[in-house]
Coordinates of all heavy atoms in Angstrom, one line a residue:
L171 N 103.9 122.7 90.3 CA 103.1 123.3 91.3 C 101.7 123.6 90.8 O 101.5 124.2 89.7 CB 103.7 124.6 91.8 CG 104.9 124.5 92.8 CD1 105.6 125.8 92.9 CD2 104.4 124.1 94.2
H172 N 100.7 123.1 91.5 CA 99.3 123.3 91.0 C 98.3 123.1 92.1 O 98.6 122.4 93.1 CB 99.0 122.4 89.8 CG 99.0 121.0 90.1 ND1 100.2 120.3 90.5 CD2 98.1 120.0 90.1 CE1 99.9 119.0 90.7 NE2 98.6 118.8 90.4
W173 N 97.2 123.6 91.9 CA 96.0 123.4 92.8 C 95.2 122.2 92.3 O 94.9 122.1 91.1 CB 95.1 124.6 92.9 CG 95.8 125.8 93.5 CD1 96.4 126.8 92.8 CD2 95.9 126.1 94.9 NE1 96.9 127.8 93.7 CE2 96.6 127.4 94.9 CE3 95.5 125.5 96.0 CZ2 96.8 128.0 96.2 CZ3 95.7 126.1 97.2 CH2 96.4 127.3 97.3
I174 N 94.9 121.3 93.2 CA 94.2 120.1 92.8 C 93.2 119.7 93.8 O 93.3 119.9 95.0 CB 95.2 118.9 92.5 CG1 94.5 117.6 92.0 CG2 96.0 118.6 93.8 CD1 95.5 116.6 91.6
G175 N 92.0 119.2 93.3 CA 90.9 118.7 94.2 C 91.4 117.7 95.1 O 92.3 116.9 94.8
L176 N 90.8 117.6 96.3 CA 91.3 116.7 97.3 C 91.2 115.2 96.9 O 92.1 114.4 97.1 CB 90.5 116.8 98.6 CG 90.6 118.2 99.3 CD1 89.7 118.2 100.5 CD2 92.0 118.5 99.7
A177 N 90.1 114.9 96.2 CA 89.9 113.5 95.6 C 90.9 113.2 94.6 O 91.5 112.1 94.5 CB 88.5 113.3 95.2
E178 N 91.1 114.2 93.6 CA 92.1 114.0 92.5 C 93.5 113.9 93.0 O 94.3 113.2 92.4 CB 92.0 115.2 91.6 CG 90.7 115.2 90.7 CD 89.5 115.8 91.5 OE1 89.7 116.3 92.6 OE2 88.4 115.8 91.0
A179 N 93.8 114.5 94.1 CA 95.2 114.5 94.7 C 95.6 113.1 95.1 O 96.8 112.7 95.0 CB 95.3 115.4 95.9
R180 N 94.6 112.3 95.4 CA 94.9 110.9 95.9 C 95.4 110.0 94.7 O 96.1 109.0 95.0 CB 93.7 110.2 96.5 CG 93.3 110.9 97.8 CD 92.3 110.1 98.6 NE 92.0 110.7 99.8 CZ 90.9 111.6 100.0 NH1 90.2 111.9 98.9 NH2 90.6 112.1 101.1
A181 N 95.2 110.5 93.5 CA 95.6 109.7 92.3 C 97.1 110.0 92.0 O 97.7 109.3 91.1 CB 94.7 110.0 91.1
L182 N 97.7 111.0 92.6 CA 99.1 111.4 92.4 C 100.0 110.4 93.0 O 99.6 109.6 93.9 CB 99.4 112.8 92.9 CG 98.6 114.0 92.3 CD1 98.9 115.3 93.0 CD2 99.0 114.1 90.8
D183 N 101.3 110.4 92.7 CA 102.3 109.6 93.4 C 102.7 110.2 94.7 O 103.6 111.1 94.7 CB 103.5 109.4 92.4 CG 104.5 108.4 93.0 OD1 104.2 107.7 94.0 OD2 105.6 108.3 92.4
L184 N 102.0 109.8 95.7 CA 102.1 110.5 97.0 C 102.9 109.5 98.0 O 102.7 108.3 98.0 CB 100.7 110.8 97.7 CG 99.8 111.6 96.9 CD1 98.4 111.7 97.6 CD2 100.3 113.0 96.6
P185 N 103.7 110.1 98.9 CA 104.2 109.4 100.0 C 103.1 108.9 100.9 O 102.0 109.6 101.0 CB 105.2 110.3 100.8 CG 105.4 111.4 99.8 CD 104.2 111.5 98.9
F186 N 103.3 107.8 101.6 CA 102.2 107.3 102.5 C 101.7 108.4 103.5 O 100.5 108.6 103.6 CB 102.6 106.1 103.2 CG 101.7 105.7 104.4 CD1 100.5 105.1 104.1 CD2 102.1 105.9 105.7 CE1 99.6 104.7 105.2 CE2 101.3 105.6 106.7 CZ 100.0 105.0 106.5
I187 N 102.7 109.1 104.1 CA 102.3 110.0 105.1 C 101.5 111.2 104.5 O 100.7 111.8 105.2 CB 103.5 110.5 105.9 CG1 103.1 111.1 107.2 CG2 104.3 111.5 105.1 CD1 102.5 110.1 108.2
T188 N 101.8 111.6 103.3 CA 101.1 112.6 102.6 C 99.6 112.2 102.4 O 98.7 113.0 102.6 CB 101.7 113.0 101.3 OG1 103.1 113.4 101.5 CG2 101.0 114.2 100.6
E189 N 99.4 111.0 102.1 CA 98.0 110.5 101.9 C 97.3 110.6 103.2 O 96.1 111.0 103.3 CB 98.1 109.0 101.5 CG 98.6 108.7 100.1 CD 98.5 107.3 99.7 OE1 97.4 106.7 100.0 OE2 99.4 106.8 99.1
V190 N 97.9 110.2 104.3 CA 97.3 110.2 105.6 C 97.0 111.7 106.0 O 95.9 112.0 106.5 CB 98.2 109.5 106.7 CG1 97.5 109.6 108.1 CG2 98.4 108.1 106.3
V191 N 97.9 112.6 105.8 CA 97.7 114.0 106.2 C 96.6 114.6 105.3 O 95.8 115.4 105.8 CB 99.0 114.8 106.0 CG1 98.7 116.3 106.2 CG2 100.1 114.3 107.0
L192 N 96.5 114.2 104.1 CA 95.5 114.7 103.2 C 94.1 114.3 103.7 O 93.2 115.1 103.7 CB 95.7 114.2 101.8 CG 94.9 114.8 100.6 CD1 95.3 116.3 100.5 CD2 95.2 114.0 99.3
A193 N 93.9 113.1 104.2 CA 92.7 112.6 104.8 C 92.3 113.4 106.0 O 91.2 113.7 106.3 CB 92.8 111.1 105.0
E194 N 93.4 113.7 106.9 CA 93.1 114.4 108.1 C 92.7 115.8 107.8 O 91.8 116.4 108.4 CB 94.4 114.4 109.0 CG 94.2 115.0 110.3 CD 93.3 114.3 111.2 OE1 93.0 113.1 111.0 OE2 92.8 114.9 112.2
A195 N 93.3 116.5 106.8 CA 93.0 117.8 106.4 C 91.6 117.9 105.9 O 90.8 118.8 106.2 CB 94.0 118.4 105.4
E196 N 91.2 116.9 105.2 CA 89.8 116.8 104.7 C 88.8 116.7 105.8 O 87.7 117.3 105.8 CB 89.6 115.7 103.7 CG 88.2 115.6 103.1 CD 88.1 114.6 101.9 OE1 89.1 113.9 101.7 OE2 87.1 114.5 101.3
A197 N 89.2 115.9 106.8 CA 88.3 115.8 108.0 C 88.1 117.1 108.7 O 87.0 117.4 109.2 CB 88.8 114.7 108.9
V198 N 89.2 117.8 108.9 CA 89.1 119.1 109.5 C 88.3 120.1 108.8 O 87.5 120.8 109.3 CB 90.6 119.7 109.8 CG1 90.5 121.1 110.3 CG2 91.3 118.8 110.8
L199 N 88.5 120.1 107.4 CA 87.7 121.0 106.6 C 86.2 120.7 106.7 O 85.3 121.5 106.7 CB 88.2 120.9 105.2 CG 89.5 121.5 104.8 CD1 89.9 121.1 103.4 CD2 89.5 123.0 105.0
R200 N 85.9 119.4 106.8 CA 84.5 118.9 106.8 C 83.8 119.1 108.1 O 82.7 119.5 108.2 CB 84.4 117.5 106.3 CG 83.0 117.0 106.1 CD 83.0 115.5 105.7 NE 83.8 115.3 104.5 CZ 83.3 115.5 103.3 NH1 82.1 115.9 103.1 NH2 84.1 115.2 102.2

């Protein structure tokens, strides 16, 4: 468990849907 920057998180081994949700969350934040 850890806090990670949005860009750095994409380098992790993510399920496809997690990648998509991460992008959507970034859009909402921005």
Side-chain angles (χ1 to χ4, degrees):
L171 280 164
H172 64 295
W173 295 95
I174 184 170
L176 299 180
E178 290 80 5
R180 294 192 179 90
L182 298 174
D183 186 7
L184 304 176
F186 166 74
I187 200 63
T188 303
E189 294 184 41
V190 177
V191 174
L192 194 62
E194 184 67 19
E196 184 172 0
V198 172
L199 290 171
R200 188 180 302 278

